[in-house]
Structure formats: C-alpha cells, structure tokens
Amino acid sequence: MSQHSDTGTGVSGIDRETAERARRILESPNGVPPRTEDVEAAIAPLEKVLTATPPGPLRITILSNLGLLLMTRFQLAGPASEPDLRRAVGHLREAQHLHERETGHPALSATIANMISAQHALAELTRDQEHLDEAIREGRKAVLRLDPDIPQRASVLASLSSALRVRYDWTGNTGDLTEAVELGRRAAADLGHSSVRRGPVLSSLAGSLLAAGEPEESARVYAEALASFREASDADGEARALNNLAGAVARSGRTEEAVEHYRQAVEAFTGLGEDVGRGRGLNNLAHALTRLGRHEEAVEAHTAAWHCRSAAFGPAHPESLDSLRNLAAAHLTVGHRTEATDTYTRLHTLSHETLGPDHPRTIEAYRALEELGEG
C-alpha cells in the first residue's frame, strides 16, 4: 500500500493532538506496524470532524487520512476487516473526486494514488476485477492530468503499474504487462535515488520485468530495490527483496547464487518473527537445493517450511499442505521410506478431512501410499 499523508497540524477543524496522532501512525518507521489502539484513537476524532467539514482542501485531507488509517486497520486485522477496506475506498474515492474540483492544491494529489491502492487491495481481496478496472481507469486519467513536476505523480504511476500487473496476471493481456513495465520505469525515474518510496516502486517494476521474461534485468532492479530498502532501514522490505531477488537470479540460471539469497531472506524473516515470509523463503530454498541435487538439505528446508506454515496458517491450509506434499516427496527422493510413509499418511488424513475424499490432493496422497505398500 502506498501511504502518502496529507495531514497537517494546526489546520482549522482538526485539533493538534488528533492531527499529530494521525501523522505518527501514517509516518511510522518502515517495518514497525502501529498499535491497533493507536489507530483506533486516531480514527474516531477524524470521523467526528468529517461530518461537520464542507467540501474543500480540509475535507480532502481528512478523507485521505481516514482512508489510509482504515487501510492500516485492515492490514492489522486481516480479511475479517473487509468493511474497513470498503470504507477506505469510499473515503478515498470522495477525496479524489473533490480533488478534481480543486485548483492550486497539488499536494492533495496524493489522494489519487491512495485511492488506486485501496481499489487494488479490495480487488485482490474479493477477486472482483471491477475494482481493479476502476483503479486503472482513474490512474490513467490522473497520469494525463497531473503535472510531471508534482512529486505525487510518481506515486500514481507506481500504483497504476502495480494494478496493471495484477490484471495481466488475471487475464493474460500482454498489453497490460507492457504498460506496467513502462509506467514502472517512469515512476522510478521520477522518484530519483533519495526517495523512501524507491524500494517498493523498484520491487514492483522488477516483478513486472520477471513476468515479461526478462530475469536478468529483473534481478538487476531487485538488487537496486534491496539497496534502497537497506538505505531506508526497512527490514521488512529488505527481507522480501532478498526473496524476490533470489527468484529472479534462479530464473536466470544462477541457482547457487539464488540459494545464498534465499538463506539471507530466511534469516531476515526469522529476525522479524515473520513466519509467513520465512515459510515461503524456506520453500523456495528447498526447491533451489533440489535443483542442485542437494536433497538432504532440501529435506531439512522442507521440514522447516512445513513447521513455519503450520504455525502461520494452521496444518490444513493449502500452503501448509503444499509443504507437507513437498516434504513427503523429498523424503522419498533420498530413500527415507518410513518418513515418506508417515508424511504421506498425515497429508492424506488432513486432505481427506478438509478437502474431501475426491479432491486431487487426497487421491494423490492415497496413490503414493499405495505405491509404498500402505494403501
């Protein structure tokens, strides 16, 4: 999510304490999530002020910050907080429409990038392409309207590029991917080397380049993103960039190098206490080790990935079941028949209970057990 706060202190209609609380949350250090109670305390007074605020720059500021705070609460609470995300879209959409009527307030153009990001998040949550299509329409309009010298234009370009990349993933429309790469390059160029937003923008561009079949260029851009995250002391961004860089390097055929990046990513996620990222990093590491023929190490990585994903999602989650399947196959590869049998048995039991007896995963596990003489 792109967060670009329009909050200012001492503005008529917002008391200084409320404005300062919102500013602290929206400008919290990279990788340090705000506390839920702080977000709650910032939302309530802004909602009260909003009801008495007529159209104009102040209302746009309040709407924009409320939208971002609601998106923050959604990120903290997860999918169960979908109503917060829908309210955020509504607030940011109104802010953007009001902004179109205003002149002489270029700073308020940040609301456009935020609205695109909110629509994008809602589309991915609901798998409803209409939200994504609206985000792309509004982004294209904004790019044509905004002065190239306005700093917020880079944020709009980046948000639009990200939305186009997702629509390409959903539809396979190569025109969207080509446009995503072009806009990502323009956003990175507009930001320059000193912006704290450079890391996320470069990461998005690198992902589009990888999808476009340019792994070497993607790896180069991911390396730039990694440097930007480190410069900004963004530990979470650094961990994700390491994992993504490893994937691009692997696609370039440099698997040994990819293994080292994956190990660094796993270490970074471990330091953050982030089981989801650590589990995915371990899963990627295990596959890379398998490609190198280092099967015993792959078993260790698959085992750790299974434990991480089970802790993060529960043992019956699709990602956890994927890890269990990979672990069973890895045991079989190195001749651990007893361990393979035990793991396939657990996989069959979990799949049967959660997916049903006729699901392909359940049938696959049963057939593996038959081949092992346990069916």
Side-chain angles (χ1 to χ4, degrees):
M1 179 180 71
S2 251
Q3 290 197 355
H4 313 294
S5 173
D6 292 325
T7 303
T9 56
V11 180
S12 176
I14 306 178
D15 67 272
R16 186 174 296 275
E17 181 181 353
T18 296
E20 180 62 20
R21 183 184 294 117
R23 185 194 65 76
R24 285 198 307 270
I25 292 170
L26 296 175
E27 297 178 4
S28 59
N30 291 316
V32 182
R35 297 186 306 167
T36 301
E37 54 267 34
D38 290 337
V39 177
E40 299 283 354
I43 288 174
L46 285 176
E47 286 184 328
K48 184 176 180 181
V49 172
L50 179 65
T51 60
T53 305
L58 177 58
R59 185 172 181 85
I60 296 172
T61 296
I62 296 171
L63 285 165
S64 184
N65 286 300
L66 258 179
L68 285 172
L69 288 164
L70 288 165
M71 288 177 75
T72 299
R73 189 162 70 181
F74 164 77
Q75 288 184 320
L76 292 170
S81 185
E82 180 182 335
D84 278 339
L85 184 55
R86 291 187 178 276
R87 286 172 60 208
V89 168
H91 286 325
L92 292 165
R93 183 188 287 124
E94 182 186 347
Q96 186 244 340
H97 289 162
L98 288 174
H99 171 263
E100 290 180 354
R101 305 180 195 173
E102 296 292 326
T103 58
H105 297 285
L108 299 178
S109 60
T111 59
I112 303 170
N114 294 333
M115 193 278 291
I116 296 170
S117 296
Q119 287 278 34
H120 180 171
L122 184 58
E124 294 216 64
L125 178 67
T126 63
R127 306 300 292 181
D128 185 344
Q129 190 177 321
E130 287 187 12
H131 296 298
L132 202 58
D133 291 342
E134 181 181 350
I136 290 169
R137 283 195 302 272
E138 295 297 338
R140 284 171 170 163
K141 283 167 49 181
V143 168
L144 292 174
R145 188 172 63 249
L146 291 176
D147 190 309
D149 294 331
I150 295 177
Q152 288 81 0
R153 183 172 179 268
S155 299
V156 175
L157 288 168
S159 297
L160 175 56
S161 174
S162 180
L164 284 161
R165 161 66 196 288
V166 171
R167 193 167 72 177
Y168 161 76
D169 290 340
W170 289 5
T171 67
N173 182 351
T174 55
D176 282 344
L177 181 58
T178 300
E179 187 178 358
V181 170
E182 177 190 348
L183 295 176
R185 291 188 192 280
R186 289 165 60 187
D190 282 2
L191 280 175
H193 290 278
S194 60
S195 173
V196 295
R197 299 196 300 276
R198 186 170 176 79
V201 169
L202 287 171
S203 288
S204 178
L205 170 59
S208 296
L209 288 165
L210 192 61
E214 299 183 41
E216 291 286 357
E217 178 69 2
S218 173
R220 184 190 66 78
V221 177
Y222 271 131
E224 284 189 46
L226 177 60
S228 293
F229 284 125
R230 284 173 171 166
E231 185 177 348
S233 299
D234 184 342
D236 182 74
E238 179 181 348
R240 295 181 192 285
L242 281 166
N243 194 47
N244 292 330
L245 172 60
V249 168
R251 285 273 296 275
S252 300
R254 307 196 306 274
T255 311
E256 289 278 7
E257 183 182 343
V259 164
E260 292 310 308
H261 289 310
Y262 280 134
R263 291 195 189 281
Q264 292 172 29
V266 168
E267 183 179 351
F269 280 122
T270 301
L272 290 168
E274 220 274 64
D275 278 336
V276 173
R278 182 168 180 260
R280 289 172 182 164
L282 283 163
N283 181 67
N284 294 334
L285 171 62
H287 286 300
L289 289 166
T290 298
R291 287 194 293 274
L292 291 172
R294 293 157 63 176
H295 299 295
E296 292 286 358
E297 291 177 75
V299 168
E300 293 179 12
H302 279 309
T303 301
W306 150 247
H307 287 300
C308 271
R309 287 176 159 179
S310 294
F313 302 120
H317 186 275
E319 289 200 26
S320 302
L321 294 178
D322 278 343
S323 283
L324 200 58
R325 175 183 177 273
N326 293 335
L327 175 58
H331 276 308
L332 203 55
T333 297
V334 295
H336 297 165
R337 289 182 61 86
T338 301
E339 291 85 350
T341 299
D342 291 345
T343 308
Y344 274 123
T345 300
R346 180 181 290 180
L347 176 62
H348 180 263
T349 300
L350 288 169
S351 299
H352 191 281
E353 291 175 352
T354 59
L355 303 173
D358 299 324
H359 191 276
R361 192 186 300 278
T362 308
I363 295 170
E364 178 188 16
Y366 180 78
R367 287 176 177 167
L369 287 169
E370 278 190 320
E371 291 177 7
L372 288 164
E374 299 290 334

